[in-house]
Amino acid sequence: PNPERTYMLHLCLAAAAWTSELANDAASSPRVLVTGATGRTGSALYLQLKADSRIAEVRALVRNVTKARELLGCKACDESEGVFVGDVTKPETLTAASTGIDTVAIAAAVGERFRDASETLPR
């Protein structure tokens, strides 16, 4: 079996189950922010959520607009399309993206900077 294909199948099944639960639990259609939306997991989840008509709004938090254009299919890749440039380690970049959001799907990876156990994530 192809590990890449198996991973993506499992991810899609998990996203479908999570989306169903999210949409069924919300009083109205939920608004979701996906962090790390240009990563392997984040982009797959973002596209899955965008395709689900039960989700009112899907936003992406990205660090790279060029990569977002390639992976997410956005044209302007800005706030008008729900794509926000930011970094989860910089709280000042999260306000606009998270305003009015019901759920945050965290798919952002922690980079080299935090591999040492003596370092902690910013609070």
Side-chain angles (χ1 to χ4, degrees):
N2 179 335
E4 176 77 16
R5 191 169 188 189
T6 301
Y7 168 82
M8 292 308 290
L9 175 61
H10 288 177
L11 175 64
C12 288
L13 290 172
W18 179 74
T19 301
S20 290
E21 186 176 318
L22 178 66
N24 291 335
D25 287 348
S28 61
S29 298
R31 296 169 55 164
V32 182
L33 169 65
V34 179
T35 68
T38 56
R40 186 163 123 183
T41 302
S43 61
L45 179 58
Y46 174 84
L47 294 172
Q48 177 87 25
L49 292 169
K50 288 290 276 188
D52 192 321
S53 62
R54 297 169 297 173
I55 307 298
E57 181 181 2
V58 182
R59 295 181 188 173
L61 183 70
V62 304
R63 291 186 301 157
N64 184 314
V65 172
T66 302
K67 197 171 176 183
R69 193 168 284 115
E70 293 169 14
L71 295 170
L72 306 181
C74 52
K75 300 215 183 323
C77 296
D78 61 15
E79 293 182 21
S80 71
E81 291 183 300
V83 177
F84 295 79
V85 176
D87 185 326
V88 296
T89 66
K90 297 177 181 169
E92 66 277 8
T93 68
L94 306 177
T95 303
S98 61
T99 300
I101 290 297
D102 301 307
T103 302
V104 177
I106 302 170
V110 176
E112 287 290 323
R113 193 169 81 165
F114 298 107
R115 285 191 192 261
D116 182 347
S118 65
E119 295 182 73
T120 59
L121 290 169
R123 300 197 188 272

